[in-house]
Amino acid sequence: MRRLLPEPAAIGVDPYEAYGDLPRLRLGMVMSADGSVTDAEGWTDGLGGAADFRVFRTLRALADGIVVGAGTVRTGRLGPARLRDDLRARRGGPPAPIVVVSRSLDLDWTLPLFTEAETPTIVVTTRTAESRVPGRLRVVAAGEDDVDLPAAVRALREDLGHEHLLCEGGPSLAAALIRASLVDELCLNIAPTLLGGARHTRLLEGLDAEVPLDPAALYLDEGVLFVRYRLRA
């Protein structure tokens, strides 16, 4: 990985060190050069290749909690968080928990994400729905009938000790966190591909106002551009 901004680096950059200055809530997503966050198969795997996976794994290793939306879970392709041996050693412990945000709780509780996670998965839902979460899982109930995201994030930090959060989407949850002024940094990985006629899934869904961004850093690895944006208050 080469750093291009804020000033070019003469030697390769270690992603763990490059992303080590942790914000309170970081949004990490990958998209094609023409704006899709899913590949032709409707997932992210085919976009950024090995370079994207290296940063993806690094961001997870640095986080205290990995926040995802229910739609991502319903694909059935999201498994429990795992760590390679080298990242486990640098982290100094087991992987961060996956934190699933769901108002409806229309979820398959037999998925490995809920039954086989080394660090138990956490479910964020409403007080109305919390009784429907299996007893083996930890629940954060925030809001009566709709999930109160500021209250949920506060509970994850203050009650459970997950200070530094990484959100991996999907587009609706990412936009909701931005609308609530909870996101400090957007880590956007731009894959060197144009998907053309493939059905595009937008980076954000439901963002109804302009949000200024300040570019903080730019890296390049195997053709993938890694941009770090700070969100202005």
Side-chain angles (χ1 to χ4, degrees), residues 28-225:
M29 301 184 81
V30 60
M31 73 175 188
S32 67
D34 56 347
S36 178
V37 296
T38 53
D39 57 25
E41 296 183 359
W43 196 240
T44 61
D45 293 8
L47 288 178
D52 174 63
F53 277 121
R54 281 192 289 273
V55 171
F56 169 81
R57 288 191 293 260
T58 297
L59 294 184
R60 283 190 160 201
L62 288 165
D64 297 325
I66 303 161
V67 183
V68 299
T72 301
V73 176
R74 282 193 283 269
T75 66
R77 300 179 68 168
L78 180 69
R82 295 183 173 87
L83 284 175
R84 296 185 325 189
D85 289 344
D86 59 327
L87 289 174
R88 183 182 290 266
R90 297 183 79 170
R91 177 180 172 83
I98 301 289
V99 180
V100 179
V101 180
S102 176
R103 179 176 62 85
S104 70
L105 293 183
D106 179 19
L107 300 167
D108 180 357
W109 302 112
T110 67
L111 289 172
L113 175 65
F114 299 115
T115 62
E116 299 177 12
E118 178 182 356
T119 305
T121 297
I122 299 169
V123 178
V124 172
T125 190
T126 65
R127 286 187 288 273
T128 301
E130 66 174 315
S131 62
R132 294 191 282 117
V133 178
R136 66 180 180 274
L137 298 174
R138 173 162 278 180
V139 184
V140 171
E144 194 63 34
D145 297 309
D146 288 304
V147 175
D148 183 332
L149 287 174
V153 168
R154 189 164 55 250
L156 288 168
R157 290 185 178 128
E158 296 178 1
D159 299 340
L160 303 184
H162 304 308
E163 178 67 24
H164 301 287
L165 301 174
L166 167 69
C167 176
E168 296 179 345
S172 295
L173 176 60
L177 289 167
I178 292 174
R179 286 198 308 271
S181 299
L182 294 170
V183 178
D184 302 297
E185 180 179 88
L186 167 61
C187 295
L188 182 60
N189 306 343
I190 304 173
T193 186
L194 300 170
L195 293 183
R199 182 178 179 272
H200 283 206
T201 300
R202 290 176 58 84
L203 182 72
L204 301 173
E205 183 178 295
L207 188 64
D208 51 7
E210 182 177 340
V211 178
L213 302 174
D214 287 323
L218 176 64
Y219 307 95
L220 177 67
D221 193 7
E222 297 183 7
V224 181
L225 284 170

